[in-house]
Amino acid sequence: MAKKRKESDTNQTSKKKQNPALQKAPEGSSTQRESFPVVGLGSSAGGLEALQIFFSHMPVDSGMAFVVVTHQHPGHESVLPELLRRETDMPAHEITDGMSIEPDQVYVLGPGSHVTIDRGVLHLMERGHAGGHDAPIDIFFRSLAHDMHERAIAIVLSGTGSDGTLGIKEVKAQGGMIVVQEPSAAKYGGMPTSARDTGVVDFIEPPEKMPECMQNYANGPYLQPRTPQEDDRFTDKDLEAILRFIRSRIGHDFSSYKRSTIHRRIERRMSVHGLEKAQDYLDFLHENRQETQMLFSELLISVTSFFRDPEAFKLLQEKYLTELVVSRPDNHEFRVWVPGCATGEEVYSIAIILSDIKQKSRKPITFSVFGTDLDERAIQRARRGVYPESISVDVSPERLERYFSREGEDMYSVRKSIRDMLVFAPHNVLSDPPFLKIDLLVCRNLLIYLQQDLQKLLLPTFHYALAPGGILFLGSSESVGPHTDLFESLDTRWKIYRRKDVPTELPRLPAQPGKHEAEAQAEREQPGPPRQLQTNRRIERLLLSRFAPVSIVADRNGTIVYIHGRTGFYLEPEEQNPQNNIIEMAREGLRLPLSAAIHHVQTKDQEITRRAVRVKTNGTYLSVDLTVSPIQEPESLRGLLLITLTRAAPPSKAPETEKAEGENEVPPERVEELEKELLSVRESNQTMIEELQSSNEELQSSNEELQSTNEELQSSKEEMESLNEELTTVNNELDSKVVDLRQAHDDMRNLLNSTDLGVIFLDQQLRVKRYTEKVRGLISFRDSDIGRPIGDLSAQLKYDNLLEDCKNVLNTLVRKEIEVATKDGTWHLMRILPYRTAENVIGGVVITFVDISRLKESESHAESMGFFYDIVNTIGEPLILLDKNMHVQYVNNAFIGTFATSFEKVRGKKIYDLGNGQWDIPQFHALLEEILPKNTEFNDFKVEHDFPAIGRRTFLLNCRRLKRAEGAEELIFLAMKEKE
């Protein structure tokens, strides 16, 4: 079989031979471990068939190594290597300690051991019971992920339980590939289903299709060695196009993430689908909506575990967190924020150690733990708080017992005492307001995926969110970088910091973080307008420059928005304090008329023109026509002012010539009078200017005070936004709980109605709280009877002590059972029990009714049959009861005595087989077979025979059908009379 398969796969394997990523490195090469993928296959019950199918379809020269880990009992002699050799020509070895892996080889773990891989070498260790749970597949997958990274391929096959679920998460986090057997095609779907529900699986396929998926992955760009000539196969332009598509489809922007990480994750998805070009993958995204969500999850890397880095959590709990909790005042609300919480394991870990601290310190304090993440699907899984039993590898048996409860056969559920401390909500740490007054902020392995500029903005945000003395807990590969002025290092290895008590403001994170130059360049490189359109615009600009007057667009305060033409003749910026205000920049002679014109337009909203305004420029005066117009169209420019300055024609020279000749000269007295008047105007103008300056200074001071108030209001607004965010998250959590409660209520109501039980719930005053539909036939209930005392309702029961019995049960807490009959003759078993709440408080009484009418009928029938048997046994002639198949159901004492036999010897036998076949008479056959179908009878049928033990005798037989109650099996009554 394997040889035929090998020939048929020649075309497939030829691709591998052209793939440098799958070629075996020279022996002893330092890169040999990284030159080929390693496939881990995990299976349990029913996995043998899946393994055989997989290897029968796997090419023998794929360039991959295969490690098979199964659940086998210690002491069992494994023949799995031999069985696999029948399906493949690849050598199959049982693993020994220190064995180096090679491509195109199969390594099988024997019973009673665990296996790990380190630097391409397999290491065996005795199988223990970590956390009370044996998880050899998880243990190997985790080591495989950390040793092979993106070259790790994890396959989960048929099996019971959840082993492998935690391991594939580690493989996903390290960039590897996960394939799971289709649960419906597996003999036992427990392991595949648990793995599938993590949401990190790349393919769900039957075993025969898995080899093709793996070869596409190995041949894709993700595992290819890069050369300088191939660096341009995935350009920044391609990357920006994919990120823009994700942003438009899902609404999240990943442009602030590290480009190298995004690049590798996209290449991984391309390899999974066997795509080599970025444009092909972009087309694939457009055609497959599900792939967009998969890539989104891939980029978020929503993978975590309980107590990741146990030594770090132990140090945090014993040395720093306990001290911080104890230092807080009594009845303090201790607040924790875990951004990027993924599926919630780390949030629950923090809540567990806080609960441990509270129990040991007996500190009267409350805890509020906020878990947030971008991925709403991960948040939903975190809210459920249900995890596979393989978490016992990371959680101690004591904590499993105290904080978890079993859910089903292979799942753990977090107990309510921990869940009540937590709130999970979607939240974008880069754009949404932070949570405030935080005592502990846990942000592990989020910063490493962000670019440096975002890290520099995010860390001050964390400082702003932390309360004085609050602790920041980062991942082992992260640090506060240059922000040592904000945080004090407590532990350099595990990156634990304390907030320094220095003032800080909430930094302004970009609304759309990380818009890079590449994207701006892409926008600049958009195709320009057609050539004819460009020519038309150049002509328009030429005409404007030749014939349009000098124009300035300003707002109503004089701030310049736009300038057209050369304004040097009219405007001049100040030397020491240049401003962008047209009034301040106006030259001598233009400032006052310009200010007056702007004021006129502000008050009258009408265009105004001042003719022949004399403006001093370079020692001479120019005559200028000034026009100020309010802009009404377009809508986007409404409220601005259009100021135009046009050179006016110089005045006629004739009058000046006449003046020069001495005609109509102004008298000296008039000149002196005008000079005095001008001096007075100047003094008055100067006084007005000084008063205006004083008023301006006062206004400036008031403006500073308003600015300070505005900053305080802004800070209050930010706090309100943060509080609103918390209220929104709490509301989301409550909505989720309301849905759960409604579902539980519906389930309970349907359960009670489907059990066909009558149930009445009474409160402590014996008033009706709730009842099931079955009760309506026993007590006359209407919808309006909720809240009425049970004693006021009319009952169909032949029982008058119901109210008194309910009072006795409520007072004594002793349950009462009694059989009661209804007026229509049916019987019920009535139980009256105390109603206990979840806090073990008596909240009333529960009355249940179980229909026992059939049981009563059966008892009555049994009594009548007993009476019948007593009568039969008093008759001195032999009697037999037969069923429809002629089997003996009963014989009386006369029969036993006459034929010297016992009831045990004849019971259940056919009458024709009794004795030596004395009743096996054809005519007798025919008569008996007609008794029940035709309701016949016969009398004095003569039978003469040599009977065992009693000799030759003659009997006369009489036979009738025995009528019984409706629904009971019909019987044949046969009487015998010996003939003398």
Side-chain angles (χ1 to χ4, degrees):
M1 180 178 179
K3 292 181 179 178
K4 291 181 180 179
R5 186 259 312 138
K6 178 179 178 181
E7 293 172 0
S8 65
D9 288 343
T10 302
N11 293 334
Q12 294 181 8
T13 57
S14 62
K15 294 181 180 180
K16 185 272 304 180
K17 295 177 181 178
Q18 299 172 1
N19 183 1
L22 300 180
Q23 300 303 308
K24 181 179 177 181
E27 190 72 30
S29 169
S30 61
T31 62
Q32 183 177 354
R33 175 176 63 91
E34 302 176 353
S35 61
F36 57 89
V38 177
V39 182
L41 298 101
S43 71
S44 176
L48 176 59
E49 181 181 349
L51 287 169
Q52 290 174 325
I53 295 174
F54 173 84
F55 281 108
S56 68
H57 287 78
M58 191 72 209
V60 297
D61 51 358
S62 64
M64 308 178 197
F66 303 87
V67 181
V68 179
V69 180
T70 62
H71 292 173
Q72 300 184 55
H73 294 289
H76 170 73
E77 185 176 350
S78 176
V79 293
L80 186 56
E82 181 180 349
L83 294 175
L84 294 182
R85 291 188 197 106
R86 299 175 185 175
E87 307 298 333
T88 178
D89 289 341
M90 288 186 287
H93 316 278
E94 184 168 342
I95 298 174
T96 58
D97 191 37
M99 178 180 285
S100 297
I101 58 172
E102 300 288 343
D104 302 324
Q105 307 270 332
V106 181
Y107 304 90
V108 182
L109 177 65
S113 299
H114 289 311
V115 63
T116 60
I117 184 171
D118 182 30
R119 301 179 184 275
V121 178
L122 299 173
H123 299 279
L124 291 178
M125 56 183 177
E126 291 186 5
R127 181 170 293 183
H129 297 278
H133 175 68
D134 215 8
I137 302 174
D138 275 327
I139 291 173
F140 177 70
F141 281 178
R142 284 182 164 186
S143 67
L144 178 66
H146 290 285
D147 193 52
M148 303 306 298
H149 303 288
E150 68 272 12
R151 297 183 184 276
I153 300 177
I155 299 179
V156 179
L157 300 174
S158 171
T160 59
S162 60
D163 194 8
T165 299
L166 298 182
I168 64 172
K169 289 185 177 182
E170 289 292 337
V171 173
K172 185 73 169 184
Q174 297 297 328
M177 179 184 185
I178 298 99
V179 185
V180 169
Q181 183 177 2
E182 172 61 51
S184 61
K187 280 192 173 182
Y188 297 91
M191 283 171 45
T193 301
S194 179
R196 179 198 62 191
D197 292 345
T198 61
V200 302
V201 176
D202 295 308
F203 286 105
I204 303 174
E205 299 286 356
E208 61 268 19
K209 293 186 178 180
M210 292 179 181
E212 181 181 357
C213 300
M214 295 161 52
Q215 287 185 300
N216 288 337
Y217 177 75
N219 292 329
Y222 187 52
L223 300 186
Q224 300 297 315
R226 284 188 173 275
T227 62
Q229 292 77 17
E230 294 176 321
D231 281 344
D232 59 349
R233 65 186 177 190
F234 196 117
T235 64
D236 286 343
K237 186 176 181 180
D238 297 327
L239 185 62
E240 294 296 337
I242 294 175
L243 293 182
R244 282 197 298 270
F245 178 80
I246 297 174
R247 187 164 60 242
S248 65
R249 180 64 61 86
I250 297 183
H252 290 293
D253 185 15
F254 287 97
S255 55
S256 57
Y257 281 51
K258 288 183 178 178
R259 290 305 172 96
S260 59
T261 300
I262 298 176
H263 197 159
R264 294 294 290 160
R265 293 285 165 174
I266 294 177
E267 279 191 339
R268 203 193 82 84
R269 295 304 303 171
M270 292 171 60
S271 295
V272 165
H273 295 291
L275 302 174
E276 296 185 359
K277 296 182 179 180
Q279 185 59 47
D280 293 340
Y281 183 64
L282 185 58
D283 295 340
F284 186 77
L285 285 174
H286 281 278
E287 297 170 0
N288 298 270
R289 285 183 169 271
Q290 184 64 25
E291 177 61 21
T292 307
Q293 185 63 45
M294 292 294 294
L295 179 59
F296 172 67
S297 299
E298 187 98 0
L299 295 177
L300 288 180
I301 319 175
S302 298
V303 177
T304 183
S305 61
F306 282 94
F307 301 100
R308 180 171 45 179
D309 300 324
E311 187 178 343
F313 273 89
K314 182 178 180 181
L315 178 69
L316 176 71
Q317 175 181 351
E318 296 179 354
K319 189 171 182 181
Y320 302 113
L321 203 51
T322 300
E323 177 186 346
L324 181 62
V325 170
V326 173
S327 67
R328 294 312 193 200
D330 290 350
N331 301 318
H332 172 72
E333 182 192 7
F334 193 94
R335 295 162 63 85
V336 181
W337 181 23
V338 186
C341 69
T343 50
E345 286 92 331
E346 200 156 63
V347 184
Y348 287 112
S349 301
I350 293 294
I352 286 172
I353 65 174
L354 288 174
S355 182
D356 286 344
I357 292 172
K358 183 176 181 179
Q359 289 182 12
K360 291 181 180 179
S361 65
R362 301 185 180 276
K363 179 79 172 180
I365 195 170
T366 59
F367 298 106
S368 296
V369 184
F370 302 95
T372 64
D373 198 275
L374 270 177
D375 192 346
E376 294 192 19
R377 296 194 303 176
I379 287 294
Q380 290 295 332
R381 287 198 291 270
R383 283 174 177 162
R384 287 184 59 216
V386 178
Y387 299 96
E389 65 175 349
S390 50
I391 64 171
S392 56
V393 174
D394 300 316
V395 184
S396 67
E398 295 77 16
R399 282 175 169 164
L400 279 176
E401 178 69 23
R402 186 184 307 166
Y403 299 115
F404 294 83
S405 57
R406 277 282 186 178
E407 182 159 316
E409 295 182 357
D410 54 2
M411 303 295 285
Y412 279 109
S413 175
V414 182
R415 292 189 185 275
K416 187 175 183 295
S417 59
I418 295 296
R419 294 163 65 94
D420 288 345
M421 298 165 54
L422 310 181
V423 174
F424 290 100
H427 181 273
N428 189 340
V429 72
L430 299 179
S431 59
D432 295 334
F435 293 81
L436 298 180
K437 300 178 181 179
I438 299 300
D439 297 282
L440 171 65
L441 201 158
V442 181
C443 183
R444 310 190 72 217
N445 300 330
L446 171 63
L447 298 179
I448 58 176
Y449 299 115
L450 301 178
Q451 296 186 15
Q452 290 292 331
D453 54 347
L454 261 296
Q455 292 184 27
K456 292 178 180 178
L457 290 175
L458 198 54
L459 285 166
T461 301
F462 289 166
H463 183 273
Y464 183 83
L466 283 167
I471 291 177
L472 175 65
F473 186 21
L474 300 180
S476 58
S477 301
E478 300 168 327
S479 69
V480 297
H483 295 290
T484 54
D485 57 326
L486 301 179
F487 298 97
E488 169 193 0
S489 177
L490 299 179
D491 188 275
T492 56
R493 179 186 177 189
W494 296 116
K495 307 303 169 64
I496 302 175
Y497 300 88
R498 178 180 285 123
R499 179 190 189 274
K500 287 186 177 180
D501 192 13
V502 296
T504 184
E505 296 181 357
L506 179 64
R508 299 287 180 233
L509 292 167
Q512 190 179 20
K515 185 169 182 179
H516 295 276
E517 179 60 29
E519 186 172 344
Q521 181 66 26
E523 294 174 357
R524 289 194 294 269
E525 292 176 359
Q526 295 295 321
R531 182 177 181 84
Q532 181 62 40
L533 183 59
Q534 294 180 1
T535 302
N536 293 344
R537 289 179 179 176
R538 289 171 182 169
I539 294 174
E540 290 174 1
R541 285 197 293 270
L542 176 63
L543 295 175
L544 286 173
S545 63
R546 290 281 185 92
F547 302 104
V550 173
S551 304
I552 300 100
V553 176
D555 62 17
R556 293 180 180 265
N557 295 320
T559 303
I560 297 174
V561 176
Y562 176 82
I563 293 177
H564 169 76
R566 297 183 179 181
T567 60
F569 290 110
Y570 317 107
L571 305 179
E572 181 181 19
E574 296 184 6
E575 293 183 2
Q576 297 181 352
N577 188 24
Q579 298 184 19
N580 197 33
N581 188 283
I582 189 172
I583 297 175
E584 299 293 336
M585 296 172 63
R587 288 183 179 273
E588 184 179 344
L590 179 61
R591 180 173 299 179
L592 290 179
L594 177 60
S595 177
I598 291 176
H599 179 72
H600 174 84
V601 173
Q602 287 176 338
T603 54
K604 301 292 182 64
D605 201 28
Q606 295 177 350
E607 179 180 291
I608 184 172
T609 300
R610 297 290 178 91
R611 302 286 183 183
V613 176
R614 293 176 61 81
V615 181
K616 184 177 182 180
T617 303
N618 299 327
T620 62
Y621 285 91
L622 298 177
S623 184
V624 179
D625 290 339
L626 168 67
T627 302
V628 181
S629 307
I631 299 177
Q632 303 295 341
E633 298 292 339
E635 178 70 26
S636 59
L637 299 181
R638 182 173 296 177
L640 299 179
L641 305 177
L642 175 62
I643 302 167
T644 57
L645 301 167
T646 307
R647 294 278 291 271
S652 173
K653 297 294 185 180
E656 293 182 2
T657 304
E658 292 175 358
K659 290 178 184 178
E661 292 175 353
E663 297 179 3
N664 299 326
E665 286 188 359
V666 178
E669 296 82 3
R670 179 60 178 161
V671 171
E672 183 178 357
E673 181 181 352
L674 290 173
E675 288 179 352
K676 289 181 179 179
E677 184 178 348
L678 178 60
L679 181 60
S680 176
V681 169
R682 286 181 175 176
E683 290 177 353
S684 176
N685 188 33
Q686 182 64 28
T687 301
M688 186 179 298
I689 290 173
E690 290 176 356
E691 291 178 355
L692 287 174
Q693 288 178 344
S694 177
S695 299
N696 184 57
E697 290 176 359
E698 293 178 1
L699 290 173
Q700 183 69 22
S701 176
S702 299
N703 183 59
E704 291 175 356
E705 293 179 3
L706 290 173
Q707 183 68 23
S708 176
T709 303
N710 183 60
E711 291 175 357
E712 293 177 4
L713 290 174
Q714 182 67 22
S715 177
S716 300
K717 177 189 175 185
E718 291 164 357
E719 292 183 5
M720 292 296 293
E721 288 177 347
S722 183
L723 288 174
N724 183 61
E725 183 73 22
E726 292 181 20
L727 289 174
T728 301
T729 58
V730 172
N731 185 56
N732 291 338
E733 186 76 10
L734 290 176
D735 285 344
S736 177
K737 290 183 177 180
V738 167
V739 172
D740 292 342
L741 288 173
R742 187 182 296 116
Q743 181 67 40
H745 178 266
D746 291 342
D747 292 344
M748 184 59 65
R749 184 182 59 190
N750 282 277
L751 173 63
L752 290 174
N753 289 332
S754 65
T755 56
D756 204 27
L757 290 177
V759 184
I760 307 174
F761 297 93
L762 306 179
D763 60 16
Q764 290 183 327
Q765 285 74 41
L766 301 182
R767 294 175 299 196
V768 178
K769 294 196 300 182
R770 193 175 294 108
Y771 59 88
T772 62
E773 291 298 319
K774 185 67 175 177
V775 178
R776 289 183 180 267
L778 304 176
I779 297 178
S780 301
F781 274 119
R782 293 175 298 180
D783 293 339
S784 59
D785 288 336
I786 300 297
R788 290 185 61 187
I790 188 66
D792 293 351
L793 302 177
S794 174
Q796 301 296 320
L797 303 174
K798 295 179 179 179
Y799 182 68
D800 299 328
N801 297 328
L802 178 61
L803 180 60
E804 194 64 29
D805 287 342
C806 290
K807 291 180 179 179
N808 291 336
V809 170
L810 189 60
N811 293 330
T812 63
L813 304 183
V814 177
R815 60 185 292 171
K816 184 179 182 63
E817 290 188 6
I818 187 171
E819 295 178 358
V820 295
T822 62
K823 295 177 182 179
D824 59 4
T826 60
W827 284 85
H828 292 79
L829 175 62
M830 181 178 69
R831 293 189 179 96
I832 307 176
L833 308 92
Y835 181 96
R836 297 180 185 273
T837 67
E839 291 78 18
N840 201 27
V841 176
I842 303 303
V845 172
V846 181
I847 308 173
T848 64
F849 295 91
V850 181
D851 192 338
I852 59 172
S853 297
R854 290 188 178 181
L855 180 61
K856 281 290 186 181
E857 291 177 2
S858 298
E859 290 177 354
S860 176
H861 175 67
E863 290 177 2
S864 63
M865 287 302 295
F867 182 66
F868 171 76
Y869 290 145
D870 289 342
I871 294 174
V872 168
N873 282 324
T874 62
I875 298 175
E877 295 178 351
L879 300 176
I880 304 177
L881 287 179
L882 304 174
D883 63 13
K884 63 181 179 179
N885 297 317
M886 306 306 158
H887 291 102
V888 177
Q889 298 297 310
Y890 188 76
V891 295
N892 66 350
N893 294 335
F895 182 90
I896 295 171
T898 302
F899 294 100
T901 183
S902 65
F903 181 60
E904 288 74 15
K905 290 181 180 180
V906 299
R907 182 175 54 185
K909 290 186 177 182
K910 274 196 171 185
I911 187 172
Y912 312 124
D913 298 332
L914 298 181
N916 56 3
Q918 61 266 26
W919 310 112
D920 191 8
I921 303 170
Q923 187 180 359
F924 184 51
H925 268 266
L927 292 172
L928 282 178
E929 298 295 339
E930 293 181 353
I931 294 293
L932 293 181
K934 297 184 179 181
N935 194 18
T936 61
E937 59 184 47
F938 62 85
N939 298 308
D940 296 334
F941 179 78
K942 183 178 180 181
V943 175
E944 185 175 355
H945 189 76
D946 268 333
F947 294 94
I950 65 174
R952 191 169 188 83
R953 299 285 183 91
T954 301
F955 291 93
L956 298 178
L957 307 183
N958 299 309
C959 190
R960 301 284 188 277
R961 183 178 68 171
L962 181 62
K963 295 182 179 180
R964 304 181 67 192
E966 185 178 354
E969 183 183 6
E970 292 184 336
L971 299 178
I972 299 172
F973 186 71
L974 181 62
M976 303 177 183
K977 181 178 181 183
E978 186 174 359
K979 187 176 181 182
E980 296 295 339

